[in-house]
Amino acid sequence: MIQSSFKYGDFMRGPGLHLKSAILDRITSHSPSRIWTAVDFMDLGPRGAVDLALYRLVASKDIRRITRGLYDRPTTNQLTAKPTYPDYRSVIDALSRRDQVRMVVDGITAANDLGLTDAVPARAVVLTDARLQPIKLGNLTIQFQHAAPSRLYWAGHPAMRVVQALYWLRDMLPRDKDRIFKRLMTVLHDPQHGKAIRDDLRDGLPTLPEWMQAIVRDLLRKANGSAQIQNDDLSGQIKMPSLPDVKRRATKLAPKGMEKR
């Protein structure tokens, strides 16, 4: 009887190395700020094989394990030469993808993200329909609070941070409205996200409390007015042909025998 030295591990080593390379190629092709989960690689192989490949990539220090099931590509701060901490917003996005849950940041965190306050919270409070343990990222702790579905309408919406910030800024609006509106107008005219935020606010207006509806309507009116002014300015830059030019072009296009009519 011939003894075979074949081992299942040897058979899997080839596909396993290919999967590891494929995962690493995908990670390195994106921004280092992106946070990854196993579900982001399910098109490349079965879950068990993906988990094993991620484990090996962490062991080889090609990627970093932030917390259970979350990974990123580690980067180094050029000033301190120490590893940088992941962006909490990317962590929240990854958790939403991994667990298929809704998440909404609290008001002060949203206001800070939008540049509406200089206050730097020591913790980011996230409302969610899941029960999750806190995650510590350097000096910042992400804490999760279980919330009713009615408080999570804006989860995943472009205008979520604007709405949450307005809740927190409600008491400041009477005395600081000009500054707040000026900053929010900048947000609403952002070249990349501004239109989506404006459309989202308009569509979700009925879900807001009455006091916020009035503010949002005012913001949208001002934003639309500014956009109209910008369009008018652009149209004023278009050079219109003079009357003689129009007549000459009409003469050239007219059928023979009609040029002198």
Side-chain angles (χ1 to χ4, degrees):
M1 182 176 179
I2 300 175
Q3 295 288 334
S4 173
S5 60
F6 172 80
K7 294 181 181 179
Y8 180 74
D10 293 336
F11 172 76
M12 290 297 294
R13 188 171 299 161
L17 289 175
H18 173 74
L19 179 58
K20 179 182 174 184
S21 298
I23 290 175
L24 186 59
D25 287 344
R26 179 171 295 180
I27 291 175
T28 54
S29 67
H30 287 74
S31 168
S33 63
R34 181 180 171 111
I35 308 298
W36 300 87
T37 75
V39 299
D40 297 320
F41 309 107
M42 296 302 294
D43 60 311
L44 300 178
R47 178 60 185 265
V50 169
D51 286 340
L52 181 58
L54 290 170
Y55 172 81
R56 289 173 173 169
L57 286 169
V58 171
S60 63
K61 298 184 179 180
D62 290 305
I63 64 174
R64 172 176 59 180
R65 181 180 180 272
I66 300 168
T67 187
R68 182 186 65 85
L70 298 185
Y71 309 89
D72 74 344
R73 183 155 50 107
T75 57
T76 303
N77 186 302
Q78 295 181 353
L79 295 177
T80 64
K82 295 181 179 180
T84 58
Y85 294 106
D87 188 330
Y88 89 93
R89 290 165 292 194
S90 298
V91 172
I92 293 173
D93 290 342
L95 286 171
S96 298
R97 296 197 311 274
R98 186 192 72 183
D99 299 335
Q100 295 296 299
V101 297
R102 293 179 294 172
M103 295 188 176
V104 172
V105 298
D106 67 336
I108 186 173
T109 304
N112 182 266
D113 288 344
L114 296 177
L116 290 164
T117 178
D118 295 329
V120 180
R123 60 178 184 171
V125 178
V126 180
L127 307 179
T128 178
D129 49 6
R131 299 190 182 279
L132 300 169
Q133 295 297 316
I135 297 176
K136 189 169 180 60
L137 304 172
N139 295 326
L140 177 70
T141 299
I142 305 176
Q143 292 189 339
F144 303 93
Q145 290 184 0
H146 192 266
S150 59
R151 301 186 64 188
L152 299 173
Y153 169 82
W154 292 95
H157 282 246
M160 180 264 288
R161 282 180 169 80
V162 173
V163 173
Q164 292 300 104
L166 286 174
Y167 275 116
W168 184 73
L169 293 165
R170 182 180 183 180
D171 294 337
M172 305 179 196
L173 279 166
R175 65 176 183 274
D176 206 9
K177 182 178 178 179
D178 291 343
R179 182 190 67 83
I180 293 171
F181 266 48
K182 182 178 180 180
R183 177 57 195 162
L184 286 176
M185 291 296 290
T186 303
V187 173
L188 295 180
H189 284 121
D190 179 80
Q192 186 173 358
H193 305 290
K195 185 180 185 303
I197 295 173
R198 296 196 304 271
D199 292 344
D200 197 25
L201 286 172
R202 191 176 296 106
D203 293 341
L205 200 60
T207 71
L208 301 174
E210 289 187 9
W211 67 268
M212 193 182 295
Q213 288 184 22
I215 293 171
V216 170
R217 277 194 293 266
D218 194 10
L219 282 168
L220 291 176
R221 278 195 296 267
K222 292 179 183 297
N224 291 336
S226 297
Q228 184 61 48
I229 291 173
Q230 291 175 358
N231 291 335
D232 291 344
D233 290 342
L234 289 174
S235 64
Q237 296 173 6
I238 300 175
K239 184 178 180 181
M240 301 299 293
S242 63
L243 188 58
D245 290 338
V246 173
K247 289 183 176 179
R248 281 196 295 271
R249 291 174 188 174
T251 301
K252 290 180 180 179
L253 295 174
K256 292 183 178 179
M258 296 180 62
E259 294 90 337
K260 298 183 179 180
R261 288 184 183 179

